[in-house]
Amino acid sequence: DSHRLWYYSIFHSISAFCNAGFSLFPDSLAGYRGCAGVYLVVCPLVILGGLGFGVLYDLGAVAGDRIVRIGRRFSRGPDRAFPRPPRRIGLQTKIVLCVTASLIVGGMVLLFAFERLTRPASAGGDFRLLDALFQSIAARTAGFNTVDIAGLSDAGKLILILLMFI
């Protein structure tokens, strides 16, 4: 049913952006493990929602200022001096972006390394880098999962707990 698919898509998109982690499926998003479309939609929505409106507003204002300046530079007409210096990214935005990127990349690397080292291939050791990336992003704020969390190693669970604590 196409209405149900639209409803599921919209519901999970809102849940991802709001960092709610609510899913309509009993196994969260584990049924979509490895589905690039889900990762390409859910991951950016979780990250953008986790940054907060203050950071998004600052990024939008800087991008808008740059677009206006580029437009004025290429427009025909009298050469107008800009009355103010270009808008720059605020300190809070820089800190939030750096910490967010560090936690996502660090969590992904550690989770991938520990899961590859501790899980034998016969016990579902098919843990991919994309799985580690998704879990690193979702653990911080959203709570979705595409792998069985109970099946993770103790080290992997500890990394997820640390990401959730931060």
Side-chain angles (χ1 to χ4, degrees), residues 40-89:
L40 287 172
V41 171
V42 173
C43 288
L45 286 173
V46 169
I47 292 169
L48 289 173
L51 291 177
F53 289 113
V55 172
L56 294 177
Y57 177 80
D58 191 33
L59 291 173
V62 170
D65 184 60
R66 291 198 178 151
I67 290 170
V68 166
R69 287 178 176 278
I70 290 171
R72 284 186 182 171
R73 189 179 308 152
F74 291 114
S75 68
R76 295 182 187 172
D79 186 25
R80 299 179 188 167
F82 292 105
R84 59 181 171 72
R87 183 174 170 107
R88 295 183 180 261
I89 295 176

Coordinates of all heavy atoms in Angstrom, one line a residue, residues 40-89:
L40 N 21.1 7.4 3.7 CA 21.3 8.7 3.1 C 20.2 9.7 3.6 O 20.4 10.9 3.5 CB 21.3 8.6 1.6 CG 22.5 8.0 1.0 CD1 22.3 7.8 -0.5 CD2 23.7 8.9 1.2
V41 N 19.1 9.2 4.1 CA 18.1 10.1 4.6 C 18.1 10.3 6.1 O 18.1 11.4 6.6 CB 16.7 9.6 4.2 CG1 15.6 10.4 4.9 CG2 16.5 9.6 2.7
V42 N 18.2 9.2 6.8 CA 18.2 9.2 8.3 C 19.4 9.8 8.9 O 19.3 10.7 9.8 CB 17.9 7.8 8.8 CG1 18.0 7.8 10.4 CG2 16.6 7.2 8.4
C43 N 20.6 9.5 8.4 CA 21.8 10.0 9.0 C 21.9 11.6 9.0 O 22.1 12.2 10.0 CB 23.1 9.4 8.4 SG 23.3 7.7 8.9
P44 N 21.7 12.2 7.8 CA 21.8 13.7 7.8 C 20.7 14.3 8.6 O 20.9 15.3 9.3 CB 21.6 14.0 6.3 CG 22.0 12.8 5.6 CD 21.7 11.6 6.4
L45 N 19.5 13.7 8.6 CA 18.4 14.2 9.5 C 18.7 14.2 10.9 O 18.5 15.1 11.7 CB 17.1 13.5 9.2 CG 16.4 13.8 7.8 CD1 15.2 12.9 7.6 CD2 16.0 15.3 7.8
V46 N 19.3 13.1 11.4 CA 19.7 13.0 12.8 C 20.8 14.0 13.1 O 20.7 14.7 14.2 CB 20.2 11.5 13.1 CG1 20.8 11.5 14.5 CG2 19.0 10.6 13.0
I47 N 21.8 14.1 12.3 CA 22.8 15.1 12.5 C 22.3 16.5 12.5 O 22.6 17.3 13.5 CB 24.0 14.9 11.5 CG1 24.7 13.6 11.6 CG2 25.0 16.1 11.6 CD1 25.6 13.3 10.5
L48 N 21.5 16.9 11.5 CA 21.0 18.3 11.5 C 20.1 18.6 12.7 O 20.1 19.6 13.3 CB 20.2 18.5 10.2 CG 21.0 18.6 8.9 CD1 20.1 18.6 7.7 CD2 21.9 19.8 9.0
G49 N 19.2 17.6 13.0 CA 18.4 17.8 14.2 C 19.2 17.9 15.5 O 18.8 18.7 16.4
G50 N 20.3 17.2 15.6 CA 21.1 17.2 16.8 C 22.0 18.5 16.9 O 22.4 18.9 18.0
L51 N 22.2 19.2 15.8 CA 23.0 20.4 15.8 C 22.2 21.5 16.5 O 22.8 22.3 17.2 CB 23.4 20.9 14.4 CG 24.4 20.0 13.7 CD1 24.6 20.6 12.3 CD2 25.7 19.9 14.4
G52 N 20.9 21.5 16.3 CA 20.1 22.6 17.0 C 19.8 23.7 16.1 O 20.5 24.0 15.1
F53 N 18.7 24.4 16.4 CA 18.3 25.5 15.5 C 19.2 26.7 15.5 O 19.3 27.4 14.6 CB 16.9 25.9 15.9 CG 15.8 24.9 15.5 CD1 15.1 24.2 16.4 CD2 15.6 24.6 14.1 CE1 14.2 23.3 16.0 CE2 14.7 23.7 13.7 CZ 14.0 23.0 14.7
G54 N 19.9 26.9 16.7 CA 20.8 28.1 16.7 C 22.0 27.9 15.8 O 22.4 28.8 15.1
V55 N 22.5 26.7 15.7 CA 23.6 26.4 14.8 C 23.1 26.4 13.4 O 23.8 27.0 12.5 CB 24.3 25.0 15.2 CG1 25.3 24.6 14.1 CG2 24.9 25.1 16.5
L56 N 22.0 25.8 13.1 CA 21.5 25.8 11.7 C 21.1 27.3 11.3 O 21.4 27.6 10.1 CB 20.2 25.0 11.7 CG 20.4 23.5 11.9 CD1 19.1 22.7 11.9 CD2 21.4 22.9 10.9
Y57 N 20.6 28.1 12.2 CA 20.4 29.5 11.8 C 21.7 30.2 11.5 O 21.7 30.9 10.5 CB 19.7 30.2 13.0 CG 19.4 31.7 12.7 CD1 18.4 32.1 11.9 CD2 20.3 32.6 13.2 CE1 18.2 33.4 11.6 CE2 20.1 34.0 12.9 CZ 19.0 34.4 12.1 OH 18.9 35.7 11.8
D58 N 22.7 30.0 12.3 CA 24.0 30.6 12.0 C 24.6 30.2 10.7 O 25.1 31.0 9.9 CB 25.0 30.3 13.2 CG 26.2 31.1 13.1 OD1 26.2 32.3 12.7 OD2 27.3 30.6 13.5
L59 N 24.5 28.9 10.4 CA 25.0 28.4 9.1 C 24.2 28.9 7.9 O 24.8 29.3 6.9 CB 25.0 26.8 9.1 CG 26.0 26.1 10.0 CD1 25.7 24.6 10.0 CD2 27.4 26.4 9.6
G60 N 22.9 29.0 8.1 CA 22.1 29.6 7.0 C 22.4 31.0 6.8 O 22.4 31.5 5.7
A61 N 22.6 31.8 7.9 CA 22.9 33.2 7.7 C 24.2 33.4 7.0 O 24.3 34.3 6.2 CB 22.9 33.9 9.1
V62 N 25.2 32.6 7.4 CA 26.5 32.8 6.7 C 26.4 32.4 5.3 O 26.9 33.1 4.4 CB 27.6 31.9 7.5 CG1 28.9 31.8 6.7 CG2 27.9 32.4 8.8
A63 N 25.7 31.3 5.0 CA 25.5 30.9 3.6 C 24.8 31.9 2.8 O 25.1 32.2 1.6 CB 24.8 29.5 3.5
G64 N 23.7 32.5 3.4 CA 22.9 33.5 2.7 C 23.7 34.8 2.4 O 23.6 35.3 1.3
D65 N 24.6 35.2 3.4 CA 25.4 36.3 3.2 C 26.4 36.1 2.0 O 26.6 37.0 1.2 CB 26.2 36.6 4.5 CG 27.0 37.9 4.4 OD1 26.5 39.0 4.1 OD2 28.3 37.8 4.5
R66 N 27.0 34.9 2.0 CA 27.9 34.6 0.9 C 27.2 34.6 -0.5 O 27.8 35.0 -1.4 CB 28.6 33.3 1.2 CG 29.6 33.4 2.4 CD 30.6 32.4 2.4 NE 31.5 32.6 3.6 CZ 32.1 31.7 4.3 NH1 31.9 30.4 3.9 NH2 32.8 32.0 5.3
I67 N 26.0 34.1 -0.5 CA 25.3 34.0 -1.8 C 25.0 35.4 -2.2 O 25.1 35.8 -3.4 CB 24.0 33.2 -1.6 CG1 24.4 31.7 -1.5 CG2 23.1 33.4 -2.8 CD1 23.2 30.8 -1.1
V68 N 24.6 36.3 -1.3 CA 24.3 37.7 -1.7 C 25.5 38.4 -2.2 O 25.5 39.1 -3.1 CB 23.7 38.4 -0.4 CG1 23.7 40.0 -0.7 CG2 22.3 37.9 -0.2
R69 N 26.7 38.2 -1.5 CA 27.9 38.8 -1.9 C 28.4 38.3 -3.3 O 28.8 39.1 -4.1 CB 29.0 38.5 -0.9 CG 28.8 39.3 0.4 CD 29.9 39.0 1.4 NE 29.7 39.8 2.6 CZ 30.1 41.1 2.7 NH1 30.8 41.6 1.7 NH2 29.9 41.8 3.8
I70 N 28.2 37.0 -3.6 CA 28.6 36.5 -4.9 C 27.6 37.1 -5.9 O 28.1 37.5 -7.0 CB 28.5 35.0 -4.9 CG1 29.7 34.4 -4.0 CG2 28.6 34.4 -6.3 CD1 29.6 32.9 -3.8
G71 N 26.4 37.2 -5.6 CA 25.4 37.8 -6.6 C 25.7 39.2 -6.9 O 25.6 39.7 -8.0
R72 N 26.1 40.0 -5.8 CA 26.4 41.4 -6.1 C 27.7 41.5 -6.9 O 27.8 42.5 -7.6 CB 26.5 42.1 -4.7 CG 25.2 42.4 -4.1 CD 25.4 43.2 -2.8 NE 24.2 43.5 -2.2 CZ 24.0 44.0 -1.0 NH1 25.1 44.4 -0.3 NH2 22.9 44.2 -0.4
R73 N 28.6 40.6 -6.7 CA 29.9 40.7 -7.4 C 29.7 40.5 -8.9 O 30.4 41.2 -9.7 CB 30.8 39.7 -6.8 CG 32.2 39.8 -7.4 CD 33.2 38.8 -6.8 NE 33.1 38.8 -5.4 CZ 33.4 37.7 -4.6 NH1 33.8 36.6 -5.2 NH2 33.4 37.7 -3.3
F74 N 28.7 39.7 -9.2 CA 28.5 39.4 -10.7 C 27.4 40.2 -11.3 O 27.1 40.1 -12.5 CB 28.3 37.9 -10.9 CG 29.4 37.0 -10.6 CD1 29.4 36.1 -9.5 CD2 30.6 37.1 -11.4 CE1 30.5 35.3 -9.3 CE2 31.7 36.3 -11.1 CZ 31.7 35.4 -10.1
S75 N 26.7 41.0 -10.5 CA 25.6 41.8 -11.0 C 26.2 43.0 -11.8 O 27.2 43.5 -11.5 CB 24.7 42.3 -9.9 OG 25.3 43.2 -9.1
R76 N 25.4 43.4 -12.8 CA 25.8 44.5 -13.6 C 25.3 45.8 -12.9 O 24.2 45.8 -12.4 CB 25.2 44.4 -15.0 CG 25.8 43.3 -15.7 CD 25.3 43.2 -17.1 NE 25.8 42.0 -17.7 CZ 25.4 41.5 -18.9 NH1 24.5 42.2 -19.6 NH2 25.9 40.4 -19.4
G77 N 26.0 46.8 -12.9 CA 25.6 48.0 -12.3 C 26.7 48.7 -11.6 O 27.9 48.3 -11.7
P78 N 26.4 49.7 -10.8 CA 27.5 50.4 -10.2 C 28.2 49.6 -9.1 O 27.6 48.7 -8.5 CB 26.8 51.6 -9.5 CG 25.4 51.2 -9.4 CD 25.1 50.3 -10.5
D79 N 29.5 49.8 -9.0 CA 30.3 49.0 -8.1 C 29.9 49.5 -6.7 O 30.2 50.7 -6.3 CB 31.8 49.2 -8.4 CG 32.6 48.3 -7.5 OD1 32.1 47.3 -7.0 OD2 33.8 48.7 -7.2
R80 N 29.3 48.7 -5.9 CA 28.9 49.0 -4.6 C 29.9 48.4 -3.5 O 30.2 47.2 -3.6 CB 27.5 48.6 -4.3 CG 26.5 49.1 -5.2 CD 25.2 48.6 -4.8 NE 24.2 49.0 -5.8 CZ 23.0 48.5 -5.9 NH1 22.6 47.5 -5.1 NH2 22.2 48.9 -6.9
A81 N 30.3 49.2 -2.6 CA 31.1 48.7 -1.6 C 30.2 48.0 -0.5 O 29.1 48.5 -0.3 CB 31.9 49.8 -0.9
F82 N 30.7 46.9 0.0 CA 29.9 46.3 1.0 C 29.9 47.1 2.3 O 31.0 47.4 2.8 CB 30.3 44.8 1.3 CG 30.1 43.9 0.1 CD1 31.1 43.6 -0.8 CD2 28.8 43.5 -0.2 CE1 30.9 42.7 -1.8 CE2 28.6 42.7 -1.3 CZ 29.6 42.3 -2.1
P83 N 28.8 47.4 2.9 CA 28.8 48.3 4.1 C 29.4 47.6 5.3 O 29.7 48.2 6.3 CB 27.3 48.6 4.3 CG 26.6 47.5 3.6 CD 27.5 47.0 2.5
R84 N 29.5 46.3 5.3 CA 29.9 45.5 6.5 C 30.8 44.4 6.1 O 30.7 43.9 4.9 CB 28.8 45.1 7.3 CG 27.8 44.1 6.6 CD 26.7 43.7 7.5 NE 25.7 43.0 6.7 CZ 25.8 41.8 6.2 NH1 26.9 41.1 6.4 NH2 24.9 41.2 5.5
P85 N 31.7 43.9 7.0 CA 32.5 42.7 6.6 C 31.6 41.5 6.4 O 30.5 41.4 6.9 CB 33.4 42.6 7.8 CG 32.8 43.3 8.9 CD 31.9 44.4 8.3
P86 N 32.2 40.5 5.8 CA 31.4 39.2 5.6 C 31.0 38.6 6.9 O 31.8 38.7 7.9 CB 32.3 38.3 4.8 CG 33.5 39.1 4.4 CD 33.5 40.4 5.2
R87 N 29.9 38.0 7.0 CA 29.5 37.3 8.2 C 30.3 36.1 8.4 O 30.5 35.3 7.5 CB 28.0 37.0 8.1 CG 27.4 36.4 9.4 CD 25.9 36.2 9.3 NE 25.5 35.4 10.4 CZ 24.8 35.8 11.4 NH1 24.5 37.1 11.5 NH2 24.4 35.0 12.4
R88 N 30.7 35.8 9.6 CA 31.5 34.6 9.9 C 30.7 33.7 10.8 O 29.8 34.1 11.5 CB 32.8 35.0 10.6 CG 33.7 35.8 9.7 CD 35.0 36.2 10.3 NE 35.8 36.9 9.5 CZ 36.8 36.4 8.8 NH1 37.1 35.1 8.8 NH2 37.5 37.2 8.0
I89 N 31.2 32.4 10.8 CA 30.5 31.4 11.6 C 30.9 31.7 13.1 O 32.0 32.0 13.4 CB 31.1 30.0 11.3 CG1 30.6 29.6 9.9 CG2 30.6 29.0 12.3 CD1 31.1 28.3 9.4

